[in-house]
Amino acid sequence: MIKLKNPRRIYLKGGNHAILLLHSFTGTVRDVKGLAQRLNNEGFTTYVPSYQGHGLLLEDFVKSDMDDWWQNVLESYKFLKQEGYETISVAGVSLGGLFTLKLLEIFPDIHSGVAMSVPRFKDEAGIFYRLEQYSTRLDKMLGLSEDEHAEQIAHIQNYHLGAQKFCRMIDEIMTGLSQINQPVLIMYGGRDDASYAESAQYIFQKLKEPKQISIISEAGHLMPLGRGQLQTEEMIVSFFCHKNV
């Protein structure tokens, strides 16, 4: 069986304002690589960690869960602090957006945040479906046989505890939204599932001022990629440059 390695982190040094960029569940640093480069071109330092297990075969992916990925995020934030950055913002898509909100809830010294395509609710079936999609896409890319693919998919049934942790953390994050005092931009794609528009409105209503909400009509779920990418980048650059805060 093919052995893969976790994608490498991205660290682009720029100015004194550092932005921690966080990718999605079953995604990789590629989700926000273009955004990292764009923000770096605008003078920001950007840092993109790779969550444990992401980019690997499902048998290795399911060895990690929300606790591990949250630890990856915490370590990345601490790394930027240790590097001497006093002004740190955070932005993330989907799971990365959830972690963005959680960081803002816990660390009042974080400057500002952007949360894209954030779910306010997930169930076990939805998480299992995402894992199946992930494995199908990766196994096909690697040229695995039908039997090998079936072996990978079978690992999903061992992920009940991981799925429960995922759902529980979302509930905890949604409960803590009123604790956030920093400027926040909530974003969602017009081509994403309608539930994400509903989630964006819910989160926006729970947040304190200063806050913004924006739909990028052409964007799908992974807003920093594909259609709508340029508009997404422009909105985020504008936000972090304080043009709309």
Side-chain angles (χ1 to χ4, degrees):
M1 187 69 73
I2 299 170
K3 282 295 179 184
L4 301 172
K5 293 182 179 181
N6 268 110
R8 293 183 178 182
R9 67 175 187 169
I10 297 171
Y11 184 24
L12 304 175
K13 292 187 178 183
N16 295 326
H17 188 163
I19 302 177
L20 177 61
L21 296 172
L22 304 171
H23 67 74
S24 68
F25 176 57
T26 71
T28 67
V29 298
R30 178 178 174 271
D31 291 352
V32 292
K33 182 178 180 179
L35 179 59
Q37 186 63 64
R38 174 64 189 278
L39 287 167
N40 183 245
N41 291 343
E42 296 287 340
F44 297 94
T45 290
T46 54
Y47 186 83
V48 186
S50 179
Y51 308 150
Q52 187 173 320
H54 282 63
L56 306 184
L57 289 168
L58 198 59
E59 64 181 292
D60 296 313
F61 186 106
V62 296
K63 294 174 183 176
S64 306
D65 57 34
M66 287 289 269
D67 291 340
D68 301 299
W69 307 328
W70 174 238
Q71 190 60 39
N72 295 152
V73 171
L74 283 178
E75 290 170 355
S76 299
Y77 174 63
K78 292 176 182 176
F79 170 77
L80 289 174
K81 296 285 283 187
Q82 291 167 356
E83 288 285 281
Y85 296 101
E86 296 182 0
T87 303
I88 300 174
S89 294
V90 59
V93 58
S94 196
L95 173 58
L98 285 166
F99 285 149
T100 293
L101 296 172
K102 188 172 176 66
L103 282 171
L104 292 167
E105 290 172 1
I106 295 174
F107 299 104
D109 56 330
I110 291 179
H111 181 270
S112 51
V114 176
M116 296 170 271
S117 307
V118 178
R120 63 167 289 202
F121 170 81
K122 279 285 184 184
D123 58 20
E124 191 171 285
I127 293 167
F128 281 11
Y129 175 69
R130 287 288 302 278
L131 290 173
E132 183 176 350
Q133 283 187 312
Y134 168 79
S135 187
T136 298
R137 184 172 63 249
L138 181 61
D139 296 351
K140 183 177 181 179
M141 184 179 69
L142 295 173
L144 269 58
S145 68
E146 290 186 9
D147 287 344
E148 289 172 328
H149 173 60
E151 289 178 10
Q152 293 301 315
I153 292 295
H155 289 288
I156 294 175
Q157 295 306 316
N158 299 322
Y159 205 66
H160 290 285
L161 180 58
Q164 291 166 12
K165 285 184 178 181
F166 199 121
C167 298
R168 188 163 57 246
M169 186 176 287
I170 292 179
D171 291 341
E172 292 171 357
I173 292 168
M174 294 300 115
T175 301
L177 292 173
S178 62
Q179 301 172 29
I180 297 174
N181 294 301
Q182 305 95 314
V184 183
L185 170 61
I186 302 297
M187 302 179 69
Y188 62 100
R191 297 175 56 246
D192 199 359
D193 186 89
S195 64
Y196 288 93
E198 296 169 2
S199 293
Q201 293 294 338
Y202 174 86
I203 293 167
F204 180 73
Q205 292 300 322
K206 294 293 183 180
L207 291 171
K208 299 176 183 175
E209 296 286 355
K211 59 184 178 180
Q212 293 176 235
I213 187 168
S214 178
I215 177 175
I216 303 298
S217 299
E218 290 299 308
H221 186 67
L222 293 180
M223 301 183 69
L225 285 178
R227 291 167 61 180
Q229 178 176 346
L230 180 59
Q231 296 96 318
T232 297
E233 291 178 357
E234 291 289 345
M235 178 65 67
I236 293 173
V237 167
S238 179
F239 176 77
F240 283 133
C241 288
H242 314 295
K243 294 178 182 177
N244 294 319
V245 178

Coordinates of all heavy atoms in Angstrom, one line a residue, residues 131-211:
L131 N -16.0 11.7 4.8 CA -14.9 10.8 4.8 C -14.9 9.9 3.6 O -13.8 9.6 3.0 CB -14.9 10.0 6.1 CG -14.5 10.8 7.4 CD1 -14.7 9.9 8.6 CD2 -13.1 11.3 7.4
E132 N -16.1 9.4 3.2 CA -16.2 8.6 2.0 C -15.8 9.3 0.8 O -15.1 8.8 -0.1 CB -17.6 8.1 1.9 CG -17.8 7.1 0.8 CD -19.2 6.5 0.7 OE1 -20.0 6.7 1.7 OE2 -19.6 5.9 -0.3
Q133 N -16.3 10.6 0.7 CA -15.9 11.4 -0.5 C -14.4 11.6 -0.5 O -13.8 11.5 -1.6 CB -16.6 12.8 -0.4 CG -18.0 12.8 -0.8 CD -18.5 14.2 -0.8 OE1 -18.3 15.0 0.2 NE2 -19.2 14.6 -1.8
Y134 N -13.8 11.9 0.6 CA -12.3 12.1 0.7 C -11.6 10.9 0.2 O -10.7 11.0 -0.6 CB -12.0 12.4 2.1 CG -10.5 12.4 2.5 CD1 -9.7 13.5 2.1 CD2 -9.9 11.3 3.1 CE1 -8.4 13.5 2.5 CE2 -8.6 11.3 3.4 CZ -7.8 12.4 3.1 OH -6.5 12.4 3.4
S135 N -12.0 9.7 0.7 CA -11.3 8.5 0.4 C -11.5 8.1 -1.1 O -10.5 7.7 -1.8 CB -11.7 7.3 1.3 OG -11.0 6.2 1.1
T136 N -12.7 8.3 -1.6 CA -12.9 8.0 -3.0 C -12.1 8.9 -3.9 O -11.5 8.4 -4.9 CB -14.4 8.2 -3.3 OG1 -15.2 7.3 -2.5 CG2 -14.7 8.0 -4.8
R137 N -12.0 10.1 -3.6 CA -11.2 11.1 -4.4 C -9.7 10.7 -4.3 O -9.0 10.7 -5.4 CB -11.4 12.5 -3.9 CG -10.8 13.6 -4.7 CD -11.2 15.0 -4.2 NE -10.9 15.2 -2.9 CZ -11.7 15.3 -1.8 NH1 -13.0 15.1 -2.0 NH2 -11.3 15.6 -0.6
L138 N -9.2 10.5 -3.1 CA -7.8 10.2 -3.0 C -7.4 8.9 -3.6 O -6.4 8.7 -4.2 CB -7.4 10.3 -1.5 CG -6.0 10.0 -1.1 CD1 -5.1 11.1 -1.8 CD2 -5.8 10.0 0.4
D139 N -8.2 7.8 -3.3 CA -7.9 6.5 -3.8 C -7.9 6.4 -5.3 O -7.1 5.8 -5.9 CB -8.9 5.5 -3.3 CG -8.9 5.4 -1.7 OD1 -7.9 5.9 -1.1 OD2 -9.8 4.7 -1.2
K140 N -8.8 7.2 -5.9 CA -8.8 7.2 -7.4 C -7.6 7.9 -7.9 O -7.0 7.5 -8.9 CB -10.1 8.0 -7.9 CG -10.3 8.0 -9.4 CD -11.6 8.7 -9.8 CE -11.7 8.7 -11.3 NZ -13.0 9.4 -11.7
M141 N -7.2 9.0 -7.3 CA -6.0 9.7 -7.7 C -4.7 8.8 -7.6 O -3.8 8.9 -8.4 CB -5.8 11.0 -6.8 CG -4.6 11.9 -7.2 SD -4.5 13.3 -6.2 CE -4.0 12.6 -4.6
L142 N -4.7 8.0 -6.6 CA -3.6 7.1 -6.3 C -3.6 5.8 -7.2 O -2.7 5.0 -7.2 CB -3.5 6.7 -4.8 CG -3.2 7.9 -3.9 CD1 -3.3 7.5 -2.4 CD2 -1.8 8.5 -4.2
G143 N -4.8 5.6 -7.8 CA -4.9 4.4 -8.6 C -5.1 3.1 -7.8 O -4.7 2.0 -8.3
L144 N -5.7 3.2 -6.7 CA -6.0 2.0 -5.9 C -7.1 1.1 -6.5 O -8.0 1.6 -7.2 CB -6.5 2.4 -4.5 CG -5.5 2.6 -3.4 CD1 -4.4 3.6 -3.7 CD2 -6.1 2.9 -2.0
S145 N -6.9 -0.2 -6.3 CA -7.9 -1.1 -6.9 C -9.2 -1.0 -6.1 O -9.3 -0.4 -5.0 CB -7.4 -2.5 -6.8 OG -7.3 -3.0 -5.4
E146 N -10.3 -1.7 -6.6 CA -11.6 -1.7 -6.0 C -11.5 -2.3 -4.6 O -12.1 -1.8 -3.6 CB -12.6 -2.4 -6.8 CG -13.0 -1.6 -8.1 CD -14.1 -2.3 -8.8 OE1 -14.7 -3.3 -8.3 OE2 -14.4 -1.9 -10.0
D147 N -10.7 -3.4 -4.5 CA -10.6 -4.1 -3.2 C -9.8 -3.2 -2.2 O -10.2 -3.1 -1.0 CB -9.8 -5.4 -3.3 CG -10.7 -6.4 -4.0 OD1 -11.9 -6.3 -4.1 OD2 -10.1 -7.4 -4.5
E148 N -8.8 -2.5 -2.7 CA -8.0 -1.6 -1.8 C -8.9 -0.4 -1.3 O -8.8 0.0 -0.2 CB -6.8 -1.1 -2.5 CG -5.7 -2.2 -2.7 CD -4.6 -1.7 -3.6 OE1 -4.8 -0.9 -4.5 OE2 -3.4 -2.1 -3.4
H149 N -9.7 0.1 -2.3 CA -10.6 1.2 -1.9 C -11.6 0.7 -0.9 O -11.9 1.5 0.1 CB -11.3 1.7 -3.2 CG -12.4 2.7 -2.9 ND1 -12.1 3.9 -2.3 CD2 -13.7 2.7 -3.1 CE1 -13.2 4.6 -2.2 NE2 -14.2 3.9 -2.7
A150 N -12.1 -0.5 -1.0 CA -13.1 -1.0 -0.1 C -12.5 -1.1 1.3 O -13.1 -0.9 2.3 CB -13.6 -2.3 -0.6
E151 N -11.2 -1.5 1.4 CA -10.5 -1.6 2.6 C -10.4 -0.3 3.3 O -10.6 -0.2 4.5 CB -9.1 -2.2 2.4 CG -9.1 -3.7 2.0 CD -7.7 -4.2 1.8 OE1 -6.7 -3.4 2.1 OE2 -7.5 -5.3 1.3
Q152 N -10.2 0.8 2.5 CA -10.1 2.1 3.1 C -11.4 2.6 3.6 O -11.5 3.1 4.7 CB -9.5 3.1 2.0 CG -8.1 2.8 1.6 CD -7.1 2.9 2.8 OE1 -7.2 3.8 3.6 NE2 -6.2 1.9 2.9
I153 N -12.5 2.4 2.8 CA -13.8 2.8 3.2 C -14.2 2.2 4.5 O -14.9 2.8 5.3 CB -14.8 2.6 2.1 CG1 -14.5 3.5 0.9 CG2 -16.2 2.8 2.6 CD1 -14.7 5.0 1.1
A154 N -13.8 0.9 4.7 CA -14.2 0.2 5.9 C -13.8 0.8 7.2 O -14.4 0.6 8.2 CB -13.7 -1.3 5.8
H155 N -12.7 1.6 7.1 CA -12.2 2.3 8.3 C -13.2 3.4 8.8 O -13.1 3.7 10.0 CB -10.8 2.9 8.0 CG -9.7 2.0 7.8 ND1 -9.2 1.2 8.8 CD2 -9.1 1.6 6.7 CE1 -8.2 0.4 8.3 NE2 -8.2 0.6 7.0
I156 N -14.1 3.8 8.0 CA -15.0 4.9 8.5 C -15.9 4.4 9.6 O -16.2 5.2 10.6 CB -16.0 5.3 7.3 CG1 -15.1 6.0 6.2 CG2 -17.1 6.2 7.8 CD1 -15.9 6.3 5.0
Q157 N -16.2 3.1 9.7 CA -17.1 2.6 10.7 C -16.4 2.6 12.1 O -17.0 2.4 13.1 CB -17.5 1.2 10.4 CG -18.4 1.1 9.1 CD -19.6 2.1 9.2 OE1 -20.3 2.1 10.3 NE2 -19.9 2.8 8.2
N158 N -15.1 2.8 12.1 CA -14.4 2.9 13.4 C -14.2 4.3 13.9 O -13.5 4.6 14.8 CB -13.0 2.3 13.2 CG -13.0 0.8 12.8 OD1 -13.9 0.0 13.3 ND2 -12.1 0.4 12.0
Y159 N -14.9 5.2 13.2 CA -14.7 6.7 13.5 C -15.9 7.3 14.3 O -16.0 8.5 14.3 CB -14.5 7.4 12.2 CG -13.7 8.7 12.4 CD1 -12.4 8.7 12.9 CD2 -14.3 10.0 12.2 CE1 -11.6 9.9 13.1 CE2 -13.6 11.1 12.4 CZ -12.3 11.1 12.8 OH -11.6 12.2 13.1
H160 N -16.6 6.5 15.0 CA -17.8 7.0 15.7 C -17.4 8.0 16.8 O -18.0 9.1 16.9 CB -18.6 5.9 16.4 CG -19.3 5.0 15.4 ND1 -20.4 5.4 14.8 CD2 -19.0 3.7 14.9 CE1 -20.9 4.4 13.9 NE2 -20.0 3.4 14.0
L161 N -16.3 7.7 17.5 CA -15.9 8.6 18.6 C -15.4 9.9 18.0 O -15.6 11.0 18.5 CB -14.8 8.0 19.4 CG -14.2 8.9 20.6 CD1 -15.3 9.3 21.5 CD2 -13.1 8.1 21.3
G162 N -14.6 9.8 16.9 CA -14.1 11.0 16.2 C -15.2 11.9 15.7 O -15.2 13.1 15.8
A163 N -16.3 11.3 15.1 CA -17.4 12.0 14.7 C -18.2 12.7 15.8 O -18.6 13.8 15.7 CB -18.4 11.1 13.9
Q164 N -18.3 12.0 16.9 CA -19.0 12.6 18.1 C -18.2 13.8 18.6 O -18.8 14.8 19.0 CB -19.1 11.5 19.2 CG -20.1 10.4 18.8 CD -20.0 9.2 19.7 OE1 -19.3 9.2 20.8 NE2 -20.6 8.1 19.4
K165 N -16.9 13.7 18.6 CA -16.0 14.8 19.1 C -16.2 16.0 18.1 O -16.3 17.2 18.6 CB -14.6 14.4 19.1 CG -14.2 13.5 20.3 CD -12.7 13.3 20.2 CE -12.2 12.4 21.4 NZ -10.7 12.2 21.4
F166 N -16.3 15.7 16.9 CA -16.5 16.8 15.9 C -17.8 17.5 16.2 O -17.9 18.8 16.2 CB -16.6 16.2 14.5 CG -16.3 17.1 13.3 CD1 -15.3 16.9 12.5 CD2 -17.1 18.2 13.1 CE1 -15.0 17.8 11.4 CE2 -16.9 19.1 12.1 CZ -15.9 18.9 11.2
C167 N -18.9 16.8 16.3 CA -20.2 17.4 16.6 C -20.2 18.2 17.9 O -20.8 19.3 18.0 CB -21.3 16.3 16.6 SG -21.5 15.4 15.0
R168 N -19.6 17.6 18.9 CA -19.6 18.3 20.2 C -18.8 19.6 20.2 O -19.3 20.6 20.8 CB -19.0 17.3 21.2 CG -19.1 17.8 22.7 CD -18.9 16.7 23.7 NE -17.6 16.0 23.5 CZ -17.5 14.7 23.1 NH1 -18.6 14.0 22.8 NH2 -16.3 14.2 23.0
M169 N -17.7 19.6 19.4 CA -16.9 20.8 19.4 C -17.7 21.9 18.6 O -17.6 23.1 19.0 CB -15.6 20.6 18.7 CG -14.7 21.9 18.8 SD -13.0 21.7 18.2 CE -12.3 20.7 19.5
I170 N -18.4 21.6 17.6 CA -19.2 22.6 16.9 C -20.2 23.2 17.9 O -20.4 24.4 17.9 CB -20.0 22.0 15.7 CG1 -19.0 21.6 14.6 CG2 -21.0 23.0 15.1 CD1 -19.7 20.9 13.4
D171 N -20.9 22.3 18.7 CA -21.9 22.8 19.6 C -21.2 23.8 20.6 O -21.8 24.8 21.0 CB -22.5 21.7 20.4 CG -23.4 20.8 19.5 OD1 -23.8 21.3 18.4 OD2 -23.7 19.7 19.8
E172 N -20.0 23.5 21.1 CA -19.3 24.3 22.1 C -19.0 25.6 21.4 O -19.1 26.7 22.1 CB -18.1 23.6 22.5 CG -18.3 22.3 23.4 CD -17.1 21.5 23.7 OE1 -16.0 21.9 23.1 OE2 -17.2 20.5 24.4
I173 N -18.5 25.6 20.2 CA -18.1 26.9 19.5 C -19.4 27.8 19.3 O -19.3 29.0 19.6 CB -17.5 26.6 18.2 CG1 -16.1 25.9 18.4 CG2 -17.3 27.8 17.3 CD1 -15.5 25.3 17.2
M174 N -20.5 27.2 18.9 CA -21.7 28.0 18.7 C -22.2 28.6 20.0 O -22.7 29.7 20.1 CB -22.8 27.1 18.1 CG -22.5 26.6 16.7 SD -22.3 28.0 15.5 CE -20.5 27.7 15.0
T175 N -22.0 27.9 21.1 CA -22.4 28.4 22.4 C -21.6 29.6 22.9 O -22.0 30.5 23.6 CB -22.3 27.3 23.5 OG1 -23.1 26.2 23.1 CG2 -22.7 27.8 24.9
G176 N -20.3 29.6 22.4 CA -19.4 30.7 22.9 C -19.3 31.9 22.0 O -18.4 32.8 22.2
L177 N -20.1 32.0 21.0 CA -20.0 33.1 20.0 C -20.1 34.5 20.7 O -19.5 35.4 20.2 CB -21.0 33.0 18.9 CG -20.9 31.8 17.9 CD1 -22.1 31.7 17.0 CD2 -19.6 31.9 17.1
S178 N -20.9 34.6 21.7 CA -21.1 35.9 22.3 C -19.9 36.4 23.1 O -19.9 37.5 23.5 CB -22.3 35.8 23.3 OG -22.1 34.9 24.3
Q179 N -18.9 35.5 23.3 CA -17.7 35.9 24.0 C -16.7 36.7 23.1 O -15.7 37.2 23.5 CB -17.0 34.6 24.5 CG -17.8 33.8 25.5 CD -17.1 32.5 25.8 OE1 -15.9 32.4 25.8 NE2 -17.9 31.5 26.1
I180 N -17.0 36.6 21.8 CA -16.0 37.2 20.8 C -16.3 38.8 20.7 O -17.4 39.2 20.5 CB -16.2 36.6 19.4 CG1 -15.9 35.1 19.4 CG2 -15.4 37.4 18.3 CD1 -16.2 34.4 18.1
N181 N -15.2 39.5 20.9 CA -15.2 41.0 20.9 C -14.5 41.6 19.7 O -14.6 42.8 19.5 CB -14.7 41.5 22.2 CG -15.6 41.2 23.4 OD1 -16.7 41.5 23.4 ND2 -15.0 40.5 24.4
Q182 N -13.7 40.8 19.0 CA -12.9 41.3 17.9 C -13.7 41.4 16.7 O -14.7 40.8 16.5 CB -11.7 40.3 17.7 CG -10.8 40.0 18.9 CD -11.3 38.7 19.6 OE1 -12.4 38.5 19.8 NE2 -10.3 37.8 19.9
P183 N -13.2 42.2 15.7 CA -13.9 42.3 14.4 C -13.9 41.0 13.7 O -12.8 40.3 13.6 CB -13.0 43.3 13.6 CG -12.3 44.1 14.7 CD -12.0 43.2 15.8
V184 N -15.0 40.6 13.2 CA -15.2 39.3 12.5 C -15.9 39.5 11.2 O -16.9 40.2 11.1 CB -15.9 38.3 13.3 CG1 -16.0 36.9 12.6 CG2 -15.3 38.1 14.7
L185 N -15.4 38.9 10.1 CA -16.0 38.8 8.8 C -16.5 37.4 8.6 O -15.7 36.5 8.6 CB -15.1 39.2 7.7 CG -15.5 39.0 6.3 CD1 -16.8 39.8 6.0 CD2 -14.4 39.3 5.3
I186 N -17.8 37.2 8.4 CA -18.4 36.0 8.1 C -18.7 35.9 6.6 O -19.3 36.8 6.1 CB -19.8 35.8 8.9 CG1 -19.5 35.9 10.4 CG2 -20.4 34.4 8.5 CD1 -18.6 34.8 11.0
M187 N -18.3 34.8 5.9 CA -18.5 34.7 4.5 C -19.1 33.4 4.1 O -18.8 32.4 4.8 CB -17.1 34.9 3.8 CG -16.4 36.2 4.1 SD -14.8 36.3 3.2 CE -15.3 36.5 1.5
Y188 N -19.8 33.4 3.1 CA -20.4 32.1 2.5 C -20.6 32.2 1.0 O -20.7 33.3 0.5 CB -21.7 31.8 3.2 CG -22.8 32.7 3.0 CD1 -23.8 32.5 2.0 CD2 -22.9 33.9 3.7 CE1 -24.9 33.4 1.8 CE2 -24.0 34.8 3.6 CZ -25.0 34.5 2.6 OH -26.0 35.4 2.4
G189 N -20.5 31.1 0.4 CA -20.6 31.0 -1.1 C -22.0 30.8 -1.6 O -22.8 30.0 -1.0
G190 N -22.4 31.6 -2.6 CA -23.7 31.5 -3.2 C -24.0 30.1 -3.9 O -25.1 29.8 -4.1
R191 N -22.9 29.4 -4.2 CA -23.0 28.1 -4.9 C -22.9 26.9 -3.9 O -22.8 25.8 -4.3 CB -22.1 28.0 -6.0 CG -22.3 29.0 -7.1 CD -21.2 28.9 -8.2 NE -21.1 27.6 -8.8 CZ -20.0 26.8 -8.7 NH1 -19.0 27.2 -8.0 NH2 -20.0 25.6 -9.2
D192 N -22.8 27.3 -2.6 CA -22.7 26.2 -1.6 C -24.1 25.8 -1.2 O -25.1 26.4 -1.5 CB -21.9 26.8 -0.3 CG -21.4 25.8 0.6 OD1 -21.5 24.6 0.3 OD2 -20.7 26.1 1.6
D193 N -24.1 24.7 -0.4 CA -25.4 24.2 0.1 C -26.1 25.3 0.9 O -25.4 26.1 1.6 CB -25.2 23.0 1.0 CG -26.4 22.3 1.5 OD1 -27.0 21.4 0.8 OD2 -27.0 22.7 2.5
A194 N -27.4 25.4 0.8 CA -28.2 26.4 1.5 C -28.0 26.4 3.0 O -28.1 27.5 3.6 CB -29.7 26.3 1.1
S195 N -27.6 25.3 3.6 CA -27.4 25.3 5.0 C -26.3 26.2 5.5 O -26.3 26.7 6.6 CB -27.2 23.8 5.5 OG -25.9 23.4 5.0
Y196 N -25.3 26.4 4.6 CA -24.2 27.3 5.0 C -24.6 28.8 5.0 O -24.1 29.6 5.8 CB -23.0 27.0 4.1 CG -22.4 25.7 4.4 CD1 -22.7 24.6 3.7 CD2 -21.4 25.6 5.5 CE1 -22.2 23.3 4.0 CE2 -20.9 24.3 5.8 CZ -21.3 23.2 5.1 OH -20.7 22.0 5.4
A197 N -25.5 29.1 4.2 CA -26.1 30.5 4.2 C -26.8 30.7 5.5 O -26.7 31.7 6.2 CB -27.0 30.8 3.0
E198 N -27.6 29.7 5.9 CA -28.4 29.8 7.2 C -27.4 29.8 8.4 O -27.6 30.6 9.3 CB -29.3 28.5 7.3 CG -30.4 28.5 6.2 CD -31.1 27.2 6.2 OE1 -30.8 26.3 7.0 OE2 -32.0 27.0 5.3
S199 N -26.3 29.0 8.3 CA -25.4 29.0 9.4 C -24.7 30.4 9.5 O -24.5 30.9 10.6 CB -24.3 27.9 9.1 OG -24.8 26.7 9.2
A200 N -24.3 31.0 8.4 CA -23.7 32.3 8.3 C -24.6 33.3 9.0 O -24.1 34.1 9.8 CB -23.3 32.7 6.9
Q201 N -25.8 33.3 8.7 CA -26.8 34.3 9.3 C -26.9 34.1 10.8 O -27.0 35.0 11.6 CB -28.1 34.2 8.6 CG -28.1 34.6 7.1 CD -27.9 36.1 7.0 OE1 -28.1 36.9 7.9 NE2 -27.4 36.5 5.8
Y202 N -27.0 32.8 11.2 CA -27.1 32.5 12.6 C -25.9 33.0 13.4 O -26.0 33.6 14.4 CB -27.2 31.0 12.8 CG -27.2 30.5 14.2 CD1 -28.3 30.5 15.0 CD2 -26.0 30.1 14.8 CE1 -28.3 30.1 16.3 CE2 -26.0 29.7 16.2 CZ -27.1 29.7 16.9 OH -27.1 29.3 18.2
I203 N -24.7 32.7 12.9 CA -23.4 33.1 13.5 C -23.3 34.6 13.6 O -23.0 35.2 14.6 CB -22.2 32.5 12.8 CG1 -22.2 31.0 13.0 CG2 -20.9 33.1 13.3 CD1 -21.2 30.3 12.0
F204 N -23.7 35.3 12.5 CA -23.6 36.7 12.4 C -24.5 37.3 13.5 O -24.1 38.3 14.1 CB -24.0 37.2 11.0 CG -24.0 38.7 10.8 CD1 -22.8 39.4 10.7 CD2 -25.2 39.4 10.8 CE1 -22.8 40.7 10.6 CE2 -25.2 40.8 10.6 CZ -24.0 41.5 10.5
Q205 N -25.7 36.8 13.6 CA -26.6 37.4 14.6 C -26.1 37.2 16.0 O -26.4 38.0 16.9 CB -28.0 36.7 14.5 CG -28.7 37.0 13.2 CD -29.0 38.5 13.0 OE1 -29.3 39.2 14.0 NE2 -28.9 39.0 11.8
K206 N -25.4 36.1 16.3 CA -24.9 35.9 17.7 C -23.7 36.7 18.0 O -23.4 36.9 19.2 CB -24.6 34.4 17.8 CG -25.8 33.5 17.7 CD -26.7 33.6 18.9 CE -27.9 32.7 18.9 NZ -28.8 32.8 20.0
L207 N -22.9 37.2 17.0 CA -21.7 37.9 17.2 C -22.0 39.4 17.7 O -23.0 39.9 17.3 CB -20.9 38.0 16.0 CG -20.2 36.6 15.5 CD1 -19.6 36.8 14.2 CD2 -19.2 36.2 16.5
K208 N -21.1 39.9 18.4 CA -21.2 41.3 18.8 C -20.6 42.2 17.7 O -19.9 41.7 16.8 CB -20.4 41.6 20.1 CG -20.9 40.8 21.3 CD -19.9 41.1 22.5 CE -20.3 40.3 23.7 NZ -19.4 40.4 24.8
E209 N -20.8 43.5 17.7 CA -20.1 44.4 16.8 C -18.7 44.6 17.3 O -18.4 44.4 18.5 CB -20.8 45.7 16.8 CG -22.3 45.7 16.2 CD -22.3 45.6 14.7 OE1 -21.2 45.6 14.1 OE2 -23.4 45.4 14.2
P210 N -17.7 44.8 16.4 CA -17.9 45.1 14.9 C -17.9 43.7 14.2 O -17.2 42.8 14.5 CB -16.7 45.9 14.5 CG -15.6 45.5 15.5 CD -16.4 45.2 16.8
K211 N -18.8 43.6 13.2 CA -19.0 42.4 12.5 C -19.5 42.7 11.1 O -20.1 43.7 10.8 CB -19.9 41.4 13.1 CG -21.3 42.0 13.3 CD -22.2 41.1 14.1 CE -23.6 41.7 14.3 NZ -24.5 40.8 15.1

